[in-house]
Amino acid sequence: MDFLREVYKLKDKVPHKSNPYVETALKLLEEKLGWLDINDNIIGVLGDVVFEVSSRKVETLRDFKRQARARYATHDIVGGKSVIEFLGTEPDEITFAMQLSADLGVDVQEELVKLLEMLRNGDANYLILGGWAHGKNKWVVSGLEFKIEHTDGWGLPVLVTADVTLKEALE
């Protein structure tokens, strides 16, 4: 099944179907990537970063974690236990690792530049994995740590491990 077409089929069933931003993100994906470039090998996207597994390219993520937190105030009670009051929630945070390898068909330098530009520009993008948008909001790259494991003869990175931190961009 075609990844993007499947997302379109599922969009009315996704809990965020009333969110016009998800609809806009899907249309932008179609425009950027085009129907011919979307295939069964694409497992997800974050902005211009396309997660793909095929015979020509392997770019995936691992150690995916999502963290949700609530905020509480503590009120001291004279002669009794303190009482807590729910104040709301913090923006969710997602962390994952990526291995970018030229041997696996990835343009390592290009992918690093995409991630760095998202971080430095504060670009908010939808995270879609397996045909599902993670959350109803967009995500910003709030942290990026990468280690160049190997370079080629010209000093260009050919194997990089990257740890990516996303923060929910609440509107």
Side-chain angles (χ1 to χ4, degrees), residues 11-109:
K11 71 178 180 179
D12 293 329
K13 298 176 188 174
V14 175
H16 324 301
K17 69 180 179 181
S18 62
N19 186 335
Y21 297 108
V22 172
E23 190 79 22
T24 302
L26 295 173
K27 286 179 183 168
L28 286 173
L29 284 174
E30 179 185 349
E31 289 171 12
K32 279 185 181 180
L33 302 174
W35 284 116
L36 298 177
D37 294 332
I38 301 296
N39 54 48
D40 293 337
N41 303 322
I42 294 177
I43 58 173
V45 292
L46 173 65
D48 290 336
V49 176
V50 178
F51 304 107
E52 178 181 346
V53 178
S54 69
S55 59
R56 62 182 178 83
K57 181 180 174 189
V58 176
E59 184 172 347
T60 61
L61 49 92
R62 68 176 195 278
D63 301 330
F64 183 95
K65 289 189 248 178
R66 182 169 178 174
Q67 185 177 61
R69 294 183 180 269
R71 291 180 292 127
Y72 289 89
T74 303
H75 305 285
D76 294 333
I77 305 295
V78 176
K81 285 187 175 185
S82 297
V83 176
I84 62 170
E85 177 185 7
F86 177 74
L87 298 177
T89 59
E90 296 287 337
D92 286 4
E93 190 171 272
I94 290 176
T95 58
F96 57 85
M98 297 174 67
Q99 184 174 16
L100 305 171
S101 174
D103 290 342
L104 298 175
V106 176
D107 185 333
V108 177
Q109 202 165 356

Side-chain angles (χ1 to χ4, degrees), residues 58-168:
V58 176
E59 184 172 347
T60 61
L61 49 92
R62 68 176 195 278
D63 301 330
F64 183 95
K65 289 189 248 178
R66 182 169 178 174
Q67 185 177 61
R69 294 183 180 269
R71 291 180 292 127
Y72 289 89
T74 303
H75 305 285
D76 294 333
I77 305 295
V78 176
K81 285 187 175 185
S82 297
V83 176
I84 62 170
E85 177 185 7
F86 177 74
L87 298 177
T89 59
E90 296 287 337
D92 286 4
E93 190 171 272
I94 290 176
T95 58
F96 57 85
M98 297 174 67
Q99 184 174 16
L100 305 171
S101 174
D103 290 342
L104 298 175
V106 176
D107 185 333
V108 177
Q109 202 165 356
E110 181 182 329
E111 294 304 290
L112 285 176
V113 167
K114 287 178 188 178
L115 290 166
L116 282 167
E117 284 181 352
M118 280 191 260
L119 179 134
R120 291 181 177 146
N121 296 334
D123 295 337
N125 295 289
Y126 290 100
L127 174 63
I128 299 175
L129 293 172
W132 293 92
H134 278 267
K136 64 181 180 177
N137 296 305
K138 292 181 180 181
W139 298 86
V140 293
V141 177
S142 62
L144 176 63
E145 184 177 326
F146 61 90
K147 179 180 176 186
I148 298 174
E149 305 280 350
H150 298 289
T151 62
D152 64 12
W154 296 277
L156 297 173
V158 294
L159 178 61
V160 169
T161 54
D163 295 314
V164 181
T165 303
L166 305 178
K167 193 165 284 239
E168 187 177 20

